């Protein structure tokens, strides 16, 4: 299998709070580790951590530095390998610019949501895009999910992950793992 | 779809350390939250947290109490629902006893490992067992994975999750999500 042309972006703004307000959420250390390790497992090209907040961007830098060039990487080299995928960007526009420059092509943008309304992109269709080698970026929302304006501005919204119950409160770390497995896993 | 007769057990002993020694690992707060939320999403019957260490068992009790009967549950009722699945047991033998009592049947034990050697149970076969309603317990290892003695004593070892690369360092939280989706997800 050739490497999928898939990029993952973890969005901290614009996302919604528990009360439905647009916020910039805090960066969670374990989101970075877990999603980087899963992305590395599935051969994802890059893992963008998107936050406009300078102190949060600094935190991302410190975490990555500890594991890539610092003591963490000596202790656990496989963690270094995973965290090398992380790139901080202040906005989604900067993510798209970065991909354009790398790929020399316009990426297809796919938003995710636990409560997405049709029209939705099926996992099968997303798999099809990736099989064709189309540069694609998958945006994951933190807090209570991506803002509606963000989803409206995306080319597609992916169908939600469901598990046969009416409980739909997966952690973003777990949703990321399931989505990558569904579209890139060998099964 | 009827409710799957699947139980998940997160094992903190006997597991192996980075250096291959048998240890009892520390309980990680986010393992409890993430795996409980994923288990609830997929309709899993119970989520056992297995540790023989009293201080770690106390920690499990405190985390669950905060979210089930304490302030956490008022703040976030869906988190309460998920953490209600958690039961602490001091050993895997106690887990199996508990399932026997609930189900009036002997559960099939399935161990997981990123480096499992044949004979392995395929995801398809595990799905088949669950479709038949067989009570089944899936054991997940913390730290550097389940001890070999633990795997040898299990009825089956599940085939490892792979992502089309040679990197196989998924967090247990993400591996749990992928495995539950592969055997219980609607696709």
């Amino acid at each position: 299998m050739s490497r999928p042309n898939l990029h993952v972006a973890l969005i901290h703004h614009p996302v919604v709070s528990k009360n439905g307000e647009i916020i910039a959420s805090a960066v969670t250390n374990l989101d970075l580790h877990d999603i980087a390790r899963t992305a590395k497992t599935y051969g994802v090209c890059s893992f963008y951590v998107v936050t406009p907040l300078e102190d949060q961007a600094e935190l991302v830098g410190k975490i990555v530095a500890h594991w890539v060039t610092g003591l963490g990487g000596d202790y656990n080299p496989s963690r270094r390998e995973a965290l090398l995928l992380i790139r901080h960007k202040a906005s989604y526009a900067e993510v798209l610019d970065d991909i354009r420059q790398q790929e020399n092509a316009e990426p297809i943008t796919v938003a995710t949501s636990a409560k997405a309304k049709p029209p939705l992109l099926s996992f099968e269709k997303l798999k099809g895009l990736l099989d064709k080698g189309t540069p694609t970026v998958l945006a994951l929302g933190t807090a209570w999910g991506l803002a509606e304006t963000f989803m409206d501005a995306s080319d597609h919204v992916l169908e939600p992950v469901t598990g046969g119950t009416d409980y739909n409160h997966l952690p973003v770390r777990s949703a990321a793992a399931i989505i990558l497995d569904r579209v890139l896993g060998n099964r």
Side-chain angles (χ1 to χ4, degrees), chain A:
Chain A
M1 193 174 91
S2 63
R3 195 181 190 195
N5 204 327
L6 181 63
H7 306 259
V8 169
L10 183 68
I11 309 294
H12 296 81
H13 173 83
V15 293
V16 295
S17 73
K18 198 180 172 231
N19 305 320
E21 290 151 349
I22 307 286
I23 56 163
S25 67
V27 166
T28 300
N29 179 34
L30 222 55
D31 285 355
L32 271 52
H33 282 264
D34 282 14
I35 299 174
R37 291 164 73 182
T38 306
K40 185 76 190 165
T41 300
Y42 287 91
V44 164
C45 303
S46 35
F47 170 29
Y48 294 97
V49 176
V50 181
T51 172
L53 303 179
E54 276 178 34
D55 63 336
Q56 297 297 300
E58 254 176 57
L59 176 61
V60 175
K62 272 186 195 162
I63 294 169
V64 172
H66 175 70
W67 291 98
V68 169
T69 55
L71 287 175
D74 295 336
Y75 173 72
N76 190 340
S78 66
R79 197 62 61 91
R80 173 195 282 138
E81 257 188 276
L83 269 71
L84 271 169
L85 286 180
I86 295 179
R87 280 145 194 62
H88 164 259
K89 294 290 169 194
S91 70
Y92 198 47
E94 288 185 17
V95 170
L96 302 183
D97 272 347
D98 201 54
I99 299 174
R100 266 179 217 118
Q101 281 187 14
Q102 280 174 63
E103 307 293 344
N104 239 330
E106 191 62 26
I108 292 185
T109 57
V110 180
T112 58
S113 163
K115 308 175 285 262
K117 278 166 248 133
L120 296 169
L121 184 71
S122 68
F123 288 99
E124 213 45 57
K125 284 260 170 71
L126 176 53
K127 231 174 144 154
L129 289 174
L130 295 171
D131 286 347
K132 276 186 232 154
T134 319
T136 304
V137 54
L138 188 76
L140 303 162
T142 55
W144 269 254
L146 293 169
E148 237 173 271
T149 50
F150 186 100
M151 290 195 271
D152 291 345
S154 298
D155 294 325
H156 302 282
V157 178
L158 186 64
E159 63 172 312
V161 171
T162 54
T165 69
D166 52 12
Y167 186 89
N168 70 341
H169 304 279
L170 283 175
V172 66
R173 299 170 287 278
S174 309
I178 293 164
I179 292 169
L180 292 182
D181 188 60
R182 285 192 182 191
V183 299
L184 299 176
N186 298 334
R187 51 183 79 236

